[in-house]
Amino acid sequence: MSIFQVKETLLSRYQKDFQENRRFIVGIDGLGGAGKSTIANELRHASELEGFDAHIFHLDDYIVETHKRYGTGNEEWYEYYFLQWDIGMIERELFEKLHVSGSITLPFYQPSTDTIRIKPIHLAPSAVILIEGVFLQRKEWRRYVDFMIYMDCSHEVRAERVLNRDLYLGDDQARLDKYKRRYWLAEDYYIEHVEPKESADYIYRS
């Protein structure tokens, strides 16, 4: 399946549902290592070539400080799924304002200092808004997205990508152990309770 097919489907849907001075919200959901950021960048470029303003929001830019998501007394998978982001804040300050505000102010996480920096983002009245991130179809956020893409990628491929990518987690065994304890269990919970593949508008098999 090519990016051209995704682009054509997205733009067709956008043109069908387009309303003047209303942004079109596109979600790019998928588990770790599925290729969400790559597709988001390609779709932004394709949208801009078609003459549409486009902007990407990466959910990982808005995670909370370390002490709020580690060592909380909960299991690590729970910390990742429920505490990695301030779910209510993202709903209020991002999703609820995407159709009504010209400027959105969001807390950007600074990994080098483990701090938050508040940053305003200015958006055109009519634009394609691409939001990419894991667990994007959780019940608090799903209804705000006009067109949801789910990146369907095998566990084997995703595992190879993330374990070779996330070198900051330590050596090979440390990375594998961390994914088993924290990330993959949270993803299993998401698949079981949210069924993201079934509720997406478009499946991209990568």
Side-chain angles (χ1 to χ4, degrees), residues 4-132:
F4 175 79
Q5 292 173 294
V6 183
K7 182 200 77 170
E8 290 300 303
T9 303
L10 187 157
L11 293 179
S12 174
R13 177 71 172 268
Y14 175 65
Q15 291 162 346
K16 175 184 175 184
D17 296 343
F18 173 78
Q19 298 177 35
E20 189 173 1
N21 295 326
R22 183 188 186 278
R23 301 179 189 113
F24 186 63
I25 314 303
V26 178
I28 303 171
D29 185 25
L31 305 181
K36 299 180 294 297
S37 296
T38 299
I39 292 299
N41 288 325
E42 291 180 353
L43 288 177
R44 177 177 63 182
H45 180 65
S47 298
E48 290 172 344
L49 287 178
E50 295 290 336
F52 302 110
D53 288 314
H55 185 92
I56 298 178
F57 289 92
H58 302 280
L59 284 184
D60 277 347
D61 286 338
Y62 314 117
I63 63 176
V64 300
E65 303 95 317
T66 301
H67 73 275
K68 295 180 180 178
R69 51 191 166 89
Y70 279 93
T72 67
N74 297 287
E75 294 186 47
E76 285 198 52
W77 75 266
Y78 182 98
E79 291 177 325
Y80 181 53
Y81 189 81
F82 289 104
L83 305 181
Q84 184 90 349
W85 300 265
D86 185 333
I87 297 168
M89 181 281 296
I90 291 177
E91 180 181 8
R92 293 188 306 272
E93 300 302 324
L94 175 61
F95 287 104
E96 287 185 358
K97 294 183 177 181
L98 280 175
H99 286 313
V100 298
S101 299
S103 180
I104 295 174
T105 301
L106 292 170
F108 278 70
Y109 178 69
Q110 310 295 302
S112 61
T113 57
D114 191 29
T115 57
I116 298 295
R117 180 169 63 92
I118 303 301
K119 179 180 176 181
I121 301 168
H122 303 286
L123 301 171
S126 299
V128 175
I129 304 297
L130 300 155
I131 305 175
E132 69 88 10

Side-chain angles (χ1 to χ4, degrees), residues 132-144:
E132 69 88 10
V134 69
F135 311 143
L136 187 57
Q137 295 187 74
R138 62 170 84 235
K139 61 182 177 60
E140 295 88 351
W141 301 341
R142 177 63 179 91
R143 65 184 180 276
Y144 298 101

Side-chain angles (χ1 to χ4, degrees), residues 168-187:
Y168 68 93
L169 295 177
D171 61 21
D172 291 352
Q173 190 60 50
R175 295 197 297 275
L176 179 60
D177 290 344
K178 180 68 171 287
Y179 266 88
K180 285 181 176 179
R181 292 193 315 269
R182 190 174 184 90
Y183 304 116
W184 290 335
L185 287 178
E187 292 177 349

